[in-house]
Structures are given as structure tokens and as C-alpha cells.
Amino acid sequence: MLRLSSILFLLFYLSFFVTRSQNFTISGTIKEKKTGELAIGATIYIKEVKKGTTTNNYGFYSITLPKGNYTIICMYLGYNTQSDSIQLNKDLVNDISLVQTGVEMQEVVVSGERPDVNVKSSQMGQVTLDMKQIKRLPAFMGEVDVLKTIQLLPGVKSAGDGQSGFYVRGGGPDQNLILLDEAVVYNASHLMGFFSVFNGDAIKNVTLTKGGMPAQYGGRLSSVLDITMKDGNNQNFQVDGGIGLIASRLTVQGPIKKDTSSFIVSARRTYVDVITKPIFTHLKSEFAGTRYFFYDLNTKFNYRLNAKNSLYLSGYFGKDVFLFKDNESGFGVETAWGNATASLRWSHIFNSKLFANTSLIYSYYNFSFSALQDNFEFKIFSGIRDHNAKVDFSWFPNSRHSVKFGLNYVYHIFIPTNASARSGETKFDLGDIIKLYSHEAHAYLGDDWDLTDRLRINAGARFSYFVHVGPFTRFVKDPFTKLTDTVVYSTGKKIKDYHALEPRVSLRYELSKSLSLKASYTNNYQYIHLASISAVSLPTDVWMPSTEVIKPQIGNQYALGVFKNFKENMFETSIEGYYKDMKNLIEYKEGAQPQDNVKDNPDNSFTFGRGEAFGAEFFVKKREGKFTGWVGYTLSWTNRRFAEINSGKTYFAKYDRRHDISLVGTYEFNEKWVASAVFVFNTGNRGTLPNSLYLFEQSVNVDYGGRNAYQFASYHRLDLSATFTPDRNKQLEKKRKRLEKRYVKKGKDPAQIVLPKKYAKNFGHSWTFSVFNAYNRHNPYFIYFDTKGSILTGDFRVQARQVSLFPVLPSVTWNFKF
């Protein structure tokens, strides 16, 4: 093994310097000409040497070649391919502005990737989705949803109706790293998972990595969902929006200084509460005091200092609020939860081969519940706050290497479940507010390396360090939970630390131009944990750090796949198999409750175990033409083993589902009409239900089955949508007629009407009609047991009843742009 490592290092070293003196570098930035938006993932291809590269998240590319004459081709789906001839006898800077195709989406595409990235890339389990494609798919109540779309991909499972979070290759919802402009989003759902927090009008790019995680990502075991916001149009002012049945949204963007600086502000709010309140009040309904709403606000500003330096400031603010008040009884409830993020980034080009991005990031999530009865008030609250600093470098030494390295530091403040109570002016002593403090640091190095023309290796490592620090009070208890000692740690005092080296490697061997084999191994450590008390993921779930009691979660994932494209990359297919083992998973002990934290350490409520997941994923995607879409199928197993749960026996995870199928299709009839359909089928979720109920001494006793031994009925659903975009010339004619009426009413000459060129060019609107659950399937949400009769009269009986959430739901949304 040592000899093999030495040989690989020698080859790696020599590949940097062979013919170095004869090489030159061409680099630059690629952007959209119409809006100035940076192009993420655009392909630069050198025809003569049949090599290429892609732009990073800041539109930067670099490729090093021997001296000579070359044809440089730039490809970005949805835009005209550009080709230029260059004479490379020195380092060149070549910025490219992309021009959109004549018809904006003449051929719908599934992503903005290069057509053969499925075969050529060394990356496994990574999918990039284009927002234009996402917006064409059926959406619940007309609200475009990024999270719902990724759940249609193989290996990604939805939590189910009315549940937040998603599950990737057997991992839990806390094992997914969700980033918005590099800031961590801890709760990505509104209304218990029915809507995501991401407003599609503000999003530019969505990339999901579920296997072979590159070295620049870490801190989670299962996946990375990396979402990039739009920068804002730096050429013209633009307004986009939509009005739906339950929510409306508005996005405004434009130049602060043309070609130099721009902004985007995007807002969304539901208004069901505004509509229903007067109705319930008039009808004197028992729901008259009930209100629910959520809102989102995305903002971003950027400034191009010069050709080598740019600044970006972005933020997200979102909140859910549920209110109930009964004026007669004086009883009221308020529940609120939400996220806030802010990112300040500076991108710098050192030279044609070295690019850097430095970021200062803030993330915050909080949950609160309060109940008021007369003068008595009770509150529960929890949350997490991060302060993050990081620097990332991209180095392109030659055409065979793309090296990434960087440093990251995070200061965490955890607020596990805390409680307070008062009666009038009297406050009850429920203990001090619990806060847990920790520091987390990472350093990484990774290289995407073409070892030969057929063999590519993406290898790297990530060093991680985590330390739990004071102030902190440890309550030491005996096996009978009796307090035996108290240890007090001062501010900044180290309580417990952990460190690890996390290696990753992905291999791609190209059998032919359209066929390749891939393999990967990923080792991850996760130092923060989400503890859920219920069978479903809710905002009440609590984030916890690693402590002397809670060990870091450790995951090892192995994957093997075959990737094949057909008909000049029109069809993309893949088969991937994976195996994942997980250690130090966290659950509440049986019978434990979050409120048990009062005058106790939160980590005393947990138990720890192991997990295992394995399966196969099948994927077929049609990329081009009037009809596009994909078919995904996952066959998988997921189990858990905890010494203090289920008598120590192995049991299936609650989201273990043997079969998971997604059919997604979009058809463009003409420039006016586009229709889409989504069908999903999966084996039902698992739960713990009674095996039997029996009578003993005139009372009902329950005998529960094993943990998650019961499997609910299979889930399946069909969603449909159609989008109608009226002819733009007819829209302008209607606008002209409306103006004519105004001119005549004011005594002006209608012949003087001149529509602004910008208006005539950019104005447009569309109608989206959608149907959720088209054939009215009653999918199970939960099961409860109803009792009837009496033990004394001998007619006592118990009946299981299923609760389903939504029947068929039609919706309509009007979208506009000018």
C-alpha cells in the first residue's frame, strides 16, 4: 500500500511540471449578456485536444494548454453556442457573454450541465437542476418547490405529506447539508413540509450531491443541497411575480450601476389568514381565532470592484406563525419558527490559475411555543445560531488538474428545549436558560485529476476539529437518575474535543465516448445532531452539539455505478449501487421528553446506536426535444440498532421503503402551451402500532409490536399541470388598447401612444393550472384507534382509523414579468 501511494504521489508531482515551460493559460468569466448573471457550470471545450472545463459558482474558468492555435467553444444549455479561434502564445483573459437562444426554452432541458457530464465527470450521485425546468413541473397549490423536485430523484425519499425534511440513501433529515449562498439553512420547510423556504424566483442554481461528496463539503453524512441565489440583473430593471390561491410573490431586480453593481429583492407571503378571518368571524366559527401564515424575503447585492474583485451580500429571512385565541375562555396559543441567514463574500482572481472566495456567514434558526390561559403563561423555545468564516481556493495548474483547498471555522450557539412559566407577575423557577457553545474547524484539499485519457480520479481529504466549551454545568447522575455530583465549567473552558481525517475518492473509467464506470468512497464526521421526539419531523426537533456524552456521527459510504448516454447525449442513463454504515446515531430514550431538560443536561435524554443502508438506483432521463423528463427507481433497505430501543434488536428505520418510483414528464405543444405530469409510488412508511388490545380488570391494555414493525399502505399520487403563455404581440396590443381608452377619456390623441422599447421587449405573463392528487388517492398520514361501546355492556370494540390529509386540489397561478 505504501509503495502504491508513493507511485501515485510521484505521478501526481510529475504531472504538474512536465512541459511546464511550453504551457499557457486561458481564463476568464462567463456571464449572461442580457442580465449579467454569472453562468454556473458553463462548459469550455477545446476542440483540438478534446479537453474542457466548467465554470465555478462565480462563472470563472481556467484551462492550461501547450502553445498553439485552438478553437475554444463555450456551451450553456438554453444559450447559443459560441466558438472562437485563438492563438495561444501567452496567458490570455477571455471573458464571454452568452446570448439566449431565439426562443427562450425552445427545447426544454433538465439542467444547465454539459450534455455528457453524466459520463465524463468523476462525480457520482450528483444532479444539477435548472430552475426553468423546476417551474414547469406540477406544484402543490401552484407554489414552485425545490425540495419537492429533488425528492423525485432516485435515492431521495420524501418524508411524506405533512412532514418536513427529506431522506437520502438511508440517512436522517439532519444528515443533509442545505446551503443557500453558502449559509446553512437548518429548517428548509414551511407548513410542516408542504412548502419549502426557497422562493423559485430568487434561485439561480440547485445542485444535489448524494454520493462521492467532494472534499470542500463536510459536516453531514448523507448529502449536500447547494442552492445559489440570482445576483440580480445588472443591465435592466426587471419585475417578476405571481398571484396564486394561497400565496403571492414579487421579485424586483436591476442595476445599481450598469455592468458594475446590481440588486435583487424577492418576497413571498401566504394570505389564507387574511381571507379566512372575516369568513370565520361572520360565521361565528370555532376557528375564528385561528390564523396561520408564512413569509420569505430574499435579498442580494453585488458590486464588481474591478476585473479581479467582486463583493456579494445576500440574506434570507423567513418565518411561520400559527395563532389561536379564544376570547371567551381566555385561552391562546402562539407557535413560531423561522430561519435567518446572511452571507458577505469576496471573490478574488489572483492570476489566470488561482481563484479565491472569502466568506463571512451568519445562520440562525429558532422555534417557540407559548400558551396563555387567563394570567398563566407557559413557553417552550429552542434554536441554533452560527457565526462562520471560510476561505476557498481553486487552483488550475494544468489541463489535467483542478485543485480545491480551503479553511472553515464555525462558532455554534445551541439553545436546546428551554421552558419558562409565570402567573401574573410571579415567575416560576424552571432553571436557567440552557445554552451550549462549541467551535468547529475544517481544512480540506481535493484534486480532480485526469490520470490518463480514460481514467479520472477525484481524491481528497478533510481534517475536522470540534470542541465543546463552557460555560456549562454538568449534572452527574447514577443509573437511577439520582443526582450525585455537579461539575461547573467556566467560559471558554474545554469540556470535550474531537478530531478526524476524512478521506474521499471517486474514480471514473471511460470505456467509450458514451459509457463509463465509476466508484467512490466517502468518510464523513457529523458533529451536530437533530433529535426528534415524534415519529415525524417537526419544527420542535432539537439541534444538539457533540458533547462528552454525545459522540460525533461517523459515516462510510461505498458506491459503484455504470453510466451510459444514447443518441448523442439525448438520453442519459445510470445504475448506481451503494452501501452505507453509520455510527453514533442519536434518538431520545424511550419515554423521554424534551421538557425533561429542566434542571438537567439535555444529552442525558438520549441513547445512541448504529445504522445501515444499502440499495440500487436506476435513472433514465431524456434531455432534449419537445418531450423531456425522467424515470427514477430506488430499491433500498435501511435499518437501525440501539441497545436501549426495541430490546436491542435491529429494526427498520421509519423511512425504510423498499420501492420508490418517480415518473416525470414535460411536453411542449407549442410556444403557448406546455404540460407536465408527475407520478410517484413508494412503499408505505413504517410505524409502531399495537399488536393487540386486551381487557384486564375492566381496563384496556395495549400490547405494542416491535419498533417500526408496521408498514403503512403504499403511497401513490398523480399531479398534473399546464402553462399557457399568451402571444406577446397580442399582449402588447391589449396594453395599447387600454392606453387608448385612457387617452380618449383624458382628451388626448391615441396616435401619440408609444410603448417603451424595454416594456415591449420584456413584458409577458402566463397562467399555470395544476391539479394535486389528480385521482383523489387517500394516502395515509397516521392511524388512530377509536373505541365504541362499553366493557360493562359487552359491546366494547376497537377500530383502527386512517387519517389522510389532502384530496384532489386544483389551483391556478398568474405569473407576470416586465
mmCIF file of all heavy atoms in Angstrom, residues 166-205:
data_model
loop_
_atom_site.group_PDB
_atom_site.id
_atom_site.type_symbol
_atom_site.label_atom_id
_atom_site.label_comp_id
_atom_site.label_asym_id
_atom_site.label_seq_id
_atom_site.Cartn_x
_atom_site.Cartn_y
_atom_site.Cartn_z
ATOM 1 N N PHE A 166 -36.169 15.567 4.194
ATOM 2 C CA PHE A 166 -36.057 14.532 3.174
ATOM 3 C C PHE A 166 -34.916 13.599 3.568
ATOM 4 O O PHE A 166 -34.067 13.951 4.392
ATOM 5 C CB PHE A 166 -35.856 15.137 1.780
ATOM 6 C CG PHE A 166 -34.628 15.996 1.636
ATOM 7 C CD1 PHE A 166 -33.436 15.475 1.150
ATOM 8 C CD2 PHE A 166 -34.658 17.341 1.974
ATOM 9 C CE1 PHE A 166 -32.305 16.270 1.015
ATOM 10 C CE2 PHE A 166 -33.538 18.147 1.840
ATOM 11 C CZ PHE A 166 -32.361 17.611 1.361
ATOM 12 N N TYR A 167 -34.926 12.419 2.980
ATOM 13 C CA TYR A 167 -34.003 11.364 3.388
ATOM 14 C C TYR A 167 -33.200 10.889 2.174
ATOM 15 O O TYR A 167 -33.780 10.611 1.125
ATOM 16 C CB TYR A 167 -34.773 10.196 4.001
ATOM 17 C CG TYR A 167 -35.692 10.614 5.122
ATOM 18 C CD1 TYR A 167 -37.027 10.924 4.879
ATOM 19 C CD2 TYR A 167 -35.219 10.731 6.419
ATOM 20 C CE1 TYR A 167 -37.872 11.324 5.902
ATOM 21 C CE2 TYR A 167 -36.053 11.128 7.453
ATOM 22 C CZ TYR A 167 -37.380 11.430 7.186
ATOM 23 O OH TYR A 167 -38.191 11.825 8.209
ATOM 24 N N VAL A 168 -31.896 10.818 2.329
ATOM 25 C CA VAL A 168 -31.031 10.459 1.211
ATOM 26 C C VAL A 168 -30.233 9.211 1.569
ATOM 27 O O VAL A 168 -29.497 9.184 2.564
ATOM 28 C CB VAL A 168 -30.063 11.607 0.864
ATOM 29 C CG1 VAL A 168 -29.122 11.199 -0.266
ATOM 30 C CG2 VAL A 168 -30.845 12.857 0.486
ATOM 31 N N ARG A 169 -30.447 8.167 0.782
ATOM 32 C CA ARG A 169 -29.709 6.907 0.932
ATOM 33 C C ARG A 169 -29.652 6.422 2.384
ATOM 34 O O ARG A 169 -28.594 6.085 2.903
ATOM 35 C CB ARG A 169 -28.304 7.044 0.348
ATOM 36 C CG ARG A 169 -28.310 7.190 -1.171
ATOM 37 C CD ARG A 169 -26.927 7.201 -1.774
ATOM 38 N NE ARG A 169 -26.994 7.154 -3.234
ATOM 39 C CZ ARG A 169 -25.940 7.159 -4.046
ATOM 40 N NH1 ARG A 169 -24.722 7.208 -3.530
ATOM 41 N NH2 ARG A 169 -26.084 7.109 -5.354
ATOM 42 N N GLY A 170 -30.799 6.412 3.033
ATOM 43 C CA GLY A 170 -30.907 5.841 4.366
ATOM 44 C C GLY A 170 -30.517 6.757 5.497
ATOM 45 O O GLY A 170 -30.590 6.369 6.662
ATOM 46 N N GLY A 171 -30.108 7.984 5.202
ATOM 47 C CA GLY A 171 -29.734 8.924 6.248
ATOM 48 C C GLY A 171 -30.933 9.682 6.781
ATOM 49 O O GLY A 171 -32.001 9.701 6.162
ATOM 50 N N GLY A 172 -30.789 10.306 7.941
ATOM 51 C CA GLY A 172 -31.854 11.090 8.542
ATOM 52 C C GLY A 172 -31.902 12.494 7.984
ATOM 53 O O GLY A 172 -31.005 12.928 7.246
ATOM 54 N N PRO A 173 -32.938 13.263 8.328
ATOM 55 C CA PRO A 173 -33.069 14.633 7.802
ATOM 56 C C PRO A 173 -31.970 15.566 8.270
ATOM 57 O O PRO A 173 -31.663 16.553 7.597
ATOM 58 C CB PRO A 173 -34.448 15.085 8.315
ATOM 59 C CG PRO A 173 -34.746 14.186 9.463
ATOM 60 C CD PRO A 173 -34.082 12.878 9.163
ATOM 61 N N ASP A 174 -31.361 15.285 9.431
ATOM 62 C CA ASP A 174 -30.273 16.150 9.914
ATOM 63 C C ASP A 174 -28.965 15.866 9.207
ATOM 64 O O ASP A 174 -27.993 16.620 9.373
ATOM 65 C CB ASP A 174 -30.088 15.977 11.420
ATOM 66 C CG ASP A 174 -29.620 14.578 11.797
ATOM 67 O OD1 ASP A 174 -30.114 13.614 11.176
ATOM 68 O OD2 ASP A 174 -28.771 14.449 12.694
ATOM 69 N N GLN A 175 -28.911 14.786 8.417
ATOM 70 C CA GLN A 175 -27.674 14.408 7.737
ATOM 71 C C GLN A 175 -27.553 15.025 6.350
ATOM 72 O O GLN A 175 -26.673 14.641 5.579
ATOM 73 C CB GLN A 175 -27.573 12.884 7.667
ATOM 74 C CG GLN A 175 -27.446 12.233 9.034
ATOM 75 C CD GLN A 175 -27.444 10.718 8.981
ATOM 76 O OE1 GLN A 175 -27.605 10.114 7.925
ATOM 77 N NE2 GLN A 175 -27.262 10.083 10.125
ATOM 78 N N ASN A 176 -28.429 15.980 6.041
ATOM 79 C CA ASN A 176 -28.362 16.704 4.776
ATOM 80 C C ASN A 176 -27.897 18.134 5.037
ATOM 81 O O ASN A 176 -28.496 18.849 5.837
ATOM 82 C CB ASN A 176 -29.740 16.734 4.109
ATOM 83 C CG ASN A 176 -30.303 15.347 3.891
ATOM 84 O OD1 ASN A 176 -29.633 14.473 3.360
ATOM 85 N ND2 ASN A 176 -31.539 15.135 4.318
ATOM 86 N N LEU A 177 -26.823 18.534 4.366
ATOM 87 C CA LEU A 177 -26.308 19.895 4.472
ATOM 88 C C LEU A 177 -27.007 20.756 3.428
ATOM 89 O O LEU A 177 -26.809 20.564 2.228
ATOM 90 C CB LEU A 177 -24.797 19.909 4.254
ATOM 91 C CG LEU A 177 -24.113 21.281 4.305
ATOM 92 C CD1 LEU A 177 -24.251 21.894 5.688
ATOM 93 C CD2 LEU A 177 -22.637 21.162 3.920
ATOM 94 N N ILE A 178 -27.838 21.697 3.873
ATOM 95 C CA ILE A 178 -28.588 22.563 2.970
ATOM 96 C C ILE A 178 -27.973 23.951 3.021
ATOM 97 O O ILE A 178 -27.923 24.581 4.083
ATOM 98 C CB ILE A 178 -30.075 22.610 3.366
ATOM 99 C CG1 ILE A 178 -30.660 21.194 3.363
ATOM 100 C CG2 ILE A 178 -30.851 23.504 2.409
ATOM 101 C CD1 ILE A 178 -32.097 21.120 3.840
ATOM 102 N N LEU A 179 -27.484 24.420 1.873
ATOM 103 C CA LEU A 179 -26.782 25.701 1.784
ATOM 104 C C LEU A 179 -27.523 26.657 0.864
ATOM 105 O O LEU A 179 -27.952 26.269 -0.232
ATOM 106 C CB LEU A 179 -25.360 25.495 1.245
ATOM 107 C CG LEU A 179 -24.447 24.558 2.044
ATOM 108 C CD1 LEU A 179 -23.137 24.341 1.294
ATOM 109 C CD2 LEU A 179 -24.166 25.139 3.427
ATOM 110 N N LEU A 180 -27.667 27.895 1.290
ATOM 111 C CA LEU A 180 -28.205 28.969 0.461
ATOM 112 C C LEU A 180 -27.154 30.068 0.410
ATOM 113 O O LEU A 180 -26.909 30.748 1.412
ATOM 114 C CB LEU A 180 -29.512 29.497 1.049
ATOM 115 C CG LEU A 180 -30.165 30.648 0.280
ATOM 116 C CD1 LEU A 180 -30.570 30.207 -1.125
ATOM 117 C CD2 LEU A 180 -31.368 31.197 1.029
ATOM 118 N N ASP A 181 -26.519 30.226 -0.749
ATOM 119 C CA ASP A 181 -25.380 31.147 -0.876
ATOM 120 C C ASP A 181 -24.365 30.886 0.242
ATOM 121 O O ASP A 181 -23.903 31.813 0.917
ATOM 122 C CB ASP A 181 -25.852 32.596 -0.862
ATOM 123 C CG ASP A 181 -26.194 33.097 -2.260
ATOM 124 O OD1 ASP A 181 -26.099 32.305 -3.214
ATOM 125 O OD2 ASP A 181 -26.550 34.275 -2.399
ATOM 126 N N GLU A 182 -24.063 29.609 0.471
ATOM 127 C CA GLU A 182 -23.063 29.104 1.408
ATOM 128 C C GLU A 182 -23.506 29.141 2.866
ATOM 129 O O GLU A 182 -22.799 28.658 3.746
ATOM 130 C CB GLU A 182 -21.723 29.837 1.252
ATOM 131 C CG GLU A 182 -21.120 29.696 -0.136
ATOM 132 C CD GLU A 182 -19.730 30.285 -0.215
ATOM 133 O OE1 GLU A 182 -19.043 30.384 0.815
ATOM 134 O OE2 GLU A 182 -19.304 30.649 -1.337
ATOM 135 N N ALA A 183 -24.670 29.712 3.175
ATOM 136 C CA ALA A 183 -25.170 29.754 4.552
ATOM 137 C C ALA A 183 -26.025 28.521 4.825
ATOM 138 O O ALA A 183 -26.849 28.125 3.992
ATOM 139 C CB ALA A 183 -25.978 31.018 4.797
ATOM 140 N N VAL A 184 -25.862 27.919 6.003
ATOM 141 C CA VAL A 184 -26.617 26.728 6.365
ATOM 142 C C VAL A 184 -28.059 27.112 6.690
ATOM 143 O O VAL A 184 -28.315 28.052 7.446
ATOM 144 C CB VAL A 184 -25.981 26.020 7.579
ATOM 145 C CG1 VAL A 184 -26.829 24.831 8.014
ATOM 146 C CG2 VAL A 184 -24.560 25.570 7.247
ATOM 147 N N VAL A 185 -28.996 26.371 6.109
ATOM 148 C CA VAL A 185 -30.414 26.524 6.422
ATOM 149 C C VAL A 185 -30.821 25.311 7.253
ATOM 150 O O VAL A 185 -30.786 24.177 6.769
ATOM 151 C CB VAL A 185 -31.269 26.623 5.144
ATOM 152 C CG1 VAL A 185 -32.749 26.723 5.490
ATOM 153 C CG2 VAL A 185 -30.840 27.815 4.307
ATOM 154 N N TYR A 186 -31.212 25.533 8.511
ATOM 155 C CA TYR A 186 -31.459 24.420 9.422
ATOM 156 C C TYR A 186 -32.866 23.842 9.305
ATOM 157 O O TYR A 186 -33.078 22.671 9.603
ATOM 158 C CB TYR A 186 -31.189 24.858 10.866
ATOM 159 C CG TYR A 186 -29.722 24.886 11.193
ATOM 160 C CD1 TYR A 186 -29.000 26.074 11.180
ATOM 161 C CD2 TYR A 186 -29.037 23.712 11.477
ATOM 162 C CE1 TYR A 186 -27.640 26.098 11.463
ATOM 163 C CE2 TYR A 186 -27.682 23.717 11.760
ATOM 164 C CZ TYR A 186 -26.992 24.908 11.751
ATOM 165 O OH TYR A 186 -25.638 24.923 12.014
ATOM 166 N N ASN A 187 -33.827 24.630 8.912
ATOM 167 C CA ASN A 187 -35.177 24.117 8.679
ATOM 168 C C ASN A 187 -35.646 24.658 7.344
ATOM 169 O O ASN A 187 -35.895 25.861 7.203
ATOM 170 C CB ASN A 187 -36.128 24.545 9.801
ATOM 171 C CG ASN A 187 -37.497 23.887 9.676
ATOM 172 O OD1 ASN A 187 -38.105 23.898 8.621
ATOM 173 N ND2 ASN A 187 -37.988 23.308 10.761
ATOM 174 N N ALA A 188 -35.754 23.781 6.356
ATOM 175 C CA ALA A 188 -35.984 24.230 4.983
ATOM 176 C C ALA A 188 -37.443 24.134 4.564
ATOM 177 O O ALA A 188 -37.733 24.179 3.372
ATOM 178 C CB ALA A 188 -35.119 23.410 4.023
ATOM 179 N N SER A 189 -38.373 24.024 5.512
ATOM 180 C CA SER A 189 -39.766 23.801 5.152
ATOM 181 C C SER A 189 -40.702 24.780 5.837
ATOM 182 O O SER A 189 -40.465 25.212 6.963
ATOM 183 C CB SER A 189 -40.190 22.373 5.519
ATOM 184 O OG SER A 189 -39.439 21.415 4.824
ATOM 185 N N HIS A 190 -41.785 25.096 5.123
ATOM 186 C CA HIS A 190 -42.922 25.823 5.686
ATOM 187 C C HIS A 190 -44.084 24.847 5.850
ATOM 188 O O HIS A 190 -44.183 23.845 5.130
ATOM 189 C CB HIS A 190 -43.380 26.943 4.746
ATOM 190 C CG HIS A 190 -42.455 28.117 4.688
ATOM 191 N ND1 HIS A 190 -42.069 28.830 5.802
ATOM 192 C CD2 HIS A 190 -41.840 28.723 3.633
ATOM 193 C CE1 HIS A 190 -41.264 29.811 5.439
ATOM 194 N NE2 HIS A 190 -41.112 29.765 4.133
ATOM 195 N N LEU A 191 -44.987 25.149 6.757
ATOM 196 C CA LEU A 191 -46.239 24.415 6.918
ATOM 197 C C LEU A 191 -45.994 22.912 6.986
ATOM 198 O O LEU A 191 -46.556 22.124 6.232
ATOM 199 C CB LEU A 191 -47.222 24.749 5.784
ATOM 200 C CG LEU A 191 -48.670 24.260 5.937
ATOM 201 C CD1 LEU A 191 -49.290 24.784 7.216
ATOM 202 C CD2 LEU A 191 -49.489 24.616 4.730
ATOM 203 N N MET A 192 -45.106 22.490 7.906
ATOM 204 C CA MET A 192 -44.841 21.079 8.153
ATOM 205 C C MET A 192 -44.401 20.330 6.892
ATOM 206 O O MET A 192 -44.699 19.151 6.716
ATOM 207 C CB MET A 192 -46.068 20.383 8.736
ATOM 208 C CG MET A 192 -46.669 21.070 9.934
ATOM 209 S SD MET A 192 -45.518 21.227 11.308
ATOM 210 C CE MET A 192 -46.564 21.954 12.558
ATOM 211 N N GLY A 193 -43.705 21.008 6.004
ATOM 212 C CA GLY A 193 -43.158 20.325 4.839
ATOM 213 C C GLY A 193 -43.951 20.480 3.566
ATOM 214 O O GLY A 193 -43.527 19.982 2.512
ATOM 215 N N PHE A 194 -45.100 21.157 3.583
ATOM 216 C CA PHE A 194 -45.881 21.308 2.356
ATOM 217 C C PHE A 194 -45.233 22.284 1.389
ATOM 218 O O PHE A 194 -45.442 22.197 0.180
ATOM 219 C CB PHE A 194 -47.306 21.760 2.684
ATOM 220 C CG PHE A 194 -48.140 20.675 3.290
ATOM 221 C CD1 PHE A 194 -48.573 20.758 4.595
ATOM 222 C CD2 PHE A 194 -48.469 19.545 2.560
ATOM 223 C CE1 PHE A 194 -49.329 19.763 5.162
ATOM 224 C CE2 PHE A 194 -49.223 18.534 3.116
ATOM 225 C CZ PHE A 194 -49.657 18.640 4.423
ATOM 226 N N PHE A 195 -44.447 23.227 1.892
ATOM 227 C CA PHE A 195 -43.736 24.178 1.047
ATOM 228 C C PHE A 195 -42.296 24.281 1.542
ATOM 229 O O PHE A 195 -42.030 24.156 2.732
ATOM 230 C CB PHE A 195 -44.378 25.571 1.100
ATOM 231 C CG PHE A 195 -45.836 25.587 0.766
ATOM 232 C CD1 PHE A 195 -46.788 25.610 1.774
ATOM 233 C CD2 PHE A 195 -46.257 25.581 -0.546
ATOM 234 C CE1 PHE A 195 -48.144 25.622 1.476
ATOM 235 C CE2 PHE A 195 -47.603 25.595 -0.857
ATOM 236 C CZ PHE A 195 -48.559 25.606 0.156
ATOM 237 N N SER A 196 -41.373 24.530 0.614
ATOM 238 C CA SER A 196 -40.000 24.774 1.021
ATOM 239 C C SER A 196 -39.801 26.269 1.243
ATOM 240 O O SER A 196 -40.612 27.095 0.819
ATOM 241 C CB SER A 196 -39.008 24.264 -0.034
ATOM 242 O OG SER A 196 -38.936 25.156 -1.132
ATOM 243 N N VAL A 197 -38.707 26.625 1.907
ATOM 244 C CA VAL A 197 -38.434 28.037 2.202
ATOM 245 C C VAL A 197 -37.807 28.755 1.015
ATOM 246 O O VAL A 197 -37.550 29.955 1.090
ATOM 247 C CB VAL A 197 -37.509 28.174 3.429
ATOM 248 C CG1 VAL A 197 -38.128 27.526 4.651
ATOM 249 C CG2 VAL A 197 -36.128 27.571 3.149
ATOM 250 N N PHE A 198 -37.575 28.046 -0.093
ATOM 251 C CA PHE A 198 -36.852 28.629 -1.219
ATOM 252 C C PHE A 198 -37.824 29.159 -2.278
ATOM 253 O O PHE A 198 -38.569 28.394 -2.891
ATOM 254 C CB PHE A 198 -35.901 27.607 -1.827
ATOM 255 C CG PHE A 198 -34.954 27.017 -0.818
ATOM 256 C CD1 PHE A 198 -35.056 25.688 -0.440
ATOM 257 C CD2 PHE A 198 -33.981 27.804 -0.222
ATOM 258 C CE1 PHE A 198 -34.195 25.150 0.496
ATOM 259 C CE2 PHE A 198 -33.123 27.276 0.722
ATOM 260 C CZ PHE A 198 -33.224 25.944 1.085
ATOM 261 N N ASN A 199 -37.808 30.456 -2.472
ATOM 262 C CA ASN A 199 -38.633 31.123 -3.475
ATOM 263 C C ASN A 199 -37.970 30.944 -4.841
ATOM 264 O O ASN A 199 -36.878 31.445 -5.082
ATOM 265 C CB ASN A 199 -38.768 32.604 -3.111
ATOM 266 C CG ASN A 199 -39.669 33.363 -4.058
ATOM 267 O OD1 ASN A 199 -40.048 32.874 -5.123
ATOM 268 N ND2 ASN A 199 -39.999 34.589 -3.686
ATOM 269 N N GLY A 200 -38.658 30.237 -5.730
ATOM 270 C CA GLY A 200 -38.067 29.908 -7.025
ATOM 271 C C GLY A 200 -37.667 31.107 -7.850
ATOM 272 O O GLY A 200 -36.739 31.031 -8.665
ATOM 273 N N ASP A 201 -38.320 32.250 -7.665
ATOM 274 C CA ASP A 201 -37.985 33.446 -8.449
ATOM 275 C C ASP A 201 -36.626 34.021 -8.082
ATOM 276 O O ASP A 201 -36.055 34.807 -8.838
ATOM 277 C CB ASP A 201 -39.047 34.528 -8.251
ATOM 278 C CG ASP A 201 -40.366 34.174 -8.919
ATOM 279 O OD1 ASP A 201 -40.366 33.252 -9.754
ATOM 280 O OD2 ASP A 201 -41.389 34.802 -8.598
ATOM 281 N N ALA A 202 -36.102 33.664 -6.900
ATOM 282 C CA ALA A 202 -34.821 34.210 -6.449
ATOM 283 C C ALA A 202 -33.670 33.232 -6.626
ATOM 284 O O ALA A 202 -32.524 33.573 -6.343
ATOM 285 C CB ALA A 202 -34.909 34.621 -4.976
ATOM 286 N N ILE A 203 -33.964 32.014 -7.108
ATOM 287 C CA ILE A 203 -32.950 30.953 -7.181
ATOM 288 C C ILE A 203 -32.400 30.821 -8.595
ATOM 289 O O ILE A 203 -33.154 30.823 -9.572
ATOM 290 C CB ILE A 203 -33.538 29.605 -6.714
ATOM 291 C CG1 ILE A 203 -34.091 29.730 -5.296
ATOM 292 C CG2 ILE A 203 -32.506 28.506 -6.787
ATOM 293 C CD1 ILE A 203 -33.093 30.185 -4.269
ATOM 294 N N LYS A 204 -31.085 30.684 -8.708
ATOM 295 C CA LYS A 204 -30.438 30.507 -9.998
ATOM 296 C C LYS A 204 -30.031 29.070 -10.260
ATOM 297 O O LYS A 204 -30.188 28.560 -11.373
ATOM 298 C CB LYS A 204 -29.200 31.413 -10.088
ATOM 299 C CG LYS A 204 -28.402 31.223 -11.383
ATOM 300 C CD LYS A 204 -27.394 32.332 -11.611
ATOM 301 C CE LYS A 204 -26.343 32.427 -10.551
ATOM 302 N NZ LYS A 204 -25.323 33.441 -10.874
ATOM 303 N N ASN A 205 -29.507 28.389 -9.240
ATOM 304 C CA ASN A 205 -28.919 27.073 -9.477
ATOM 305 C C ASN A 205 -29.155 26.167 -8.269
ATOM 306 O O ASN A 205 -29.081 26.607 -7.119
ATOM 307 C CB ASN A 205 -27.411 27.218 -9.733
ATOM 308 C CG ASN A 205 -26.778 25.935 -10.247
ATOM 309 O OD1 ASN A 205 -26.960 25.572 -11.401
ATOM 310 N ND2 ASN A 205 -26.044 25.242 -9.387
#
